[in-house]
Amino acid sequence: MRLDVNNLNFSYADKTVLRDLSFRAEDGEFISILGPSGCGKSTLLNVLAGILQPQGGQVLIDGKEIRGVSGQFAYMPQNDLLFPWKTILDNVCLYGEIHHRKDEMKAEAKAQMARFGLEGCENKYPGELSGGMRQRAAFLRTTLCDAGIFLLDEPFGALDVITRGDMQDWLRELCSNLKRTILLVTHDTDEAIYLSDRILILGEPGEGIRQEIRIQEGNRTREWLYEQGGLRARIHRIIKQNG
């Protein structure tokens, strides 16, 4: 699905966070959003998800305007939001339960457990899993929604460095097969470089997109990422408004 954001505006009381923000995400594109704290990264995802109502502008999917909560978006916050009293299988099938398709979704979830590294975890509870495994479960729940656009807000931000790296490797491999449009909010420059087709760098609140960077490399490895010191420094200068 193609996403068009046109002249989006949002303010908290007397503080403007998004002012005339515009960009396009092509069908199947992976876009990361970087920027200083308070620049509106998470606010943007909340507006797209329908949690917050914009004060102006348009959100269009494949040319059709979307208002409020829409089944076209699947939103995954940093916290996995798994219910501790429900099994992993029941947690990932919440969408099916709400839409009266629980049996159908359970069958689909069971078929996907191995792909998501959760085989054998169906009847376990969230408290029995590691942080990385819980995030895998949360992402499986996201993918089971009938949505063409994923909104990921720091999904690995609470994980330790080693687990985060493992999850980034896993997500990169998985996304090559998902064929979904993805917007990822992150503070991790390496994560953005490693996963993205494009990086949008937001400026101060209300400034909008300060710069766009396209990542051309197709065969990405950890070794390749370690060699991106120049790009990493460039991104940091842009965020700090020194370059």
Side-chain angles (χ1 to χ4, degrees), residues 4-223:
D4 285 287
V5 174
N6 297 332
N7 301 313
L8 201 64
N9 289 272
F10 185 85
S11 299
Y12 293 103
D14 58 348
K15 181 181 179 181
T16 298
V17 180
L18 304 175
R19 178 187 290 119
D20 296 329
L21 179 68
S22 298
F23 67 91
R24 170 177 288 183
E26 298 291 350
D27 183 34
E29 192 174 21
F30 194 124
I31 293 179
S32 288
I33 302 171
L34 293 174
S37 295
C39 70
K41 299 185 297 296
S42 294
T43 297
L44 171 61
L45 294 197
N46 285 328
V47 170
L48 295 177
I51 298 169
L52 298 174
Q53 296 301 311
Q55 280 101 42
Q58 287 182 310
V59 176
L60 299 97
I61 296 179
D62 292 337
K64 182 179 179 180
E65 187 172 6
I66 300 296
R67 293 180 179 272
V69 176
S70 167
Q72 309 281 19
F73 293 103
Y75 178 51
M76 181 179 169
Q78 180 174 335
N79 190 316
D80 58 63
L81 299 181
L82 300 177
F83 292 120
W85 61 88
K86 286 182 175 287
T87 65
I88 295 302
L89 183 60
D90 284 338
N91 264 291
V92 302
C93 293
L94 284 174
Y95 181 85
E97 184 175 352
I98 293 169
H99 291 84
H100 309 292
R101 293 171 42 207
K102 189 172 183 179
D103 290 342
E104 173 191 342
M105 190 159 286
K106 275 192 172 183
E108 186 176 351
K110 287 177 180 178
Q112 295 290 335
M113 284 287 179
R115 183 184 183 192
F116 280 74
L118 295 168
E119 190 173 19
C121 297
E122 293 87 344
N123 296 315
K124 291 185 177 181
Y125 291 87
E128 300 178 77
L129 302 186
S130 67
M133 296 286 278
R134 288 168 62 109
Q135 289 302 90
R136 288 174 187 256
F139 197 74
L140 174 54
R141 180 182 59 198
T142 302
T143 63
L144 289 172
C145 297
D146 294 328
I149 301 174
F150 293 164
L151 308 174
L152 311 180
D153 193 356
E154 292 273 4
F156 309 139
L159 303 178
D160 64 83
V161 173
I162 300 300
T163 303
R164 178 185 291 196
D166 290 342
M167 292 296 294
Q168 291 165 353
D169 291 340
W170 169 79
L171 180 59
R172 174 160 175 74
E173 181 178 353
L174 186 68
C175 285
S176 66
N177 299 314
L178 282 175
K179 308 301 181 186
R180 306 288 180 91
T181 305
I182 298 176
L183 266 62
L184 169 71
V185 161
T186 180
H187 285 92
D188 187 333
T189 303
D190 280 0
E191 185 169 84
I193 294 171
Y194 190 50
L195 295 175
S196 309
D197 298 308
R198 279 190 295 144
I199 300 172
L200 302 182
I201 303 175
L202 300 187
E204 295 300 322
E207 179 182 340
I209 297 171
R210 185 173 287 173
Q211 194 159 329
E212 171 187 311
I213 294 174
R214 187 174 295 275
I215 309 296
Q216 302 285 1
E217 178 64 41
N219 184 29
R220 300 177 205 178
T221 63
R222 285 287 164 184
E223 289 70 24

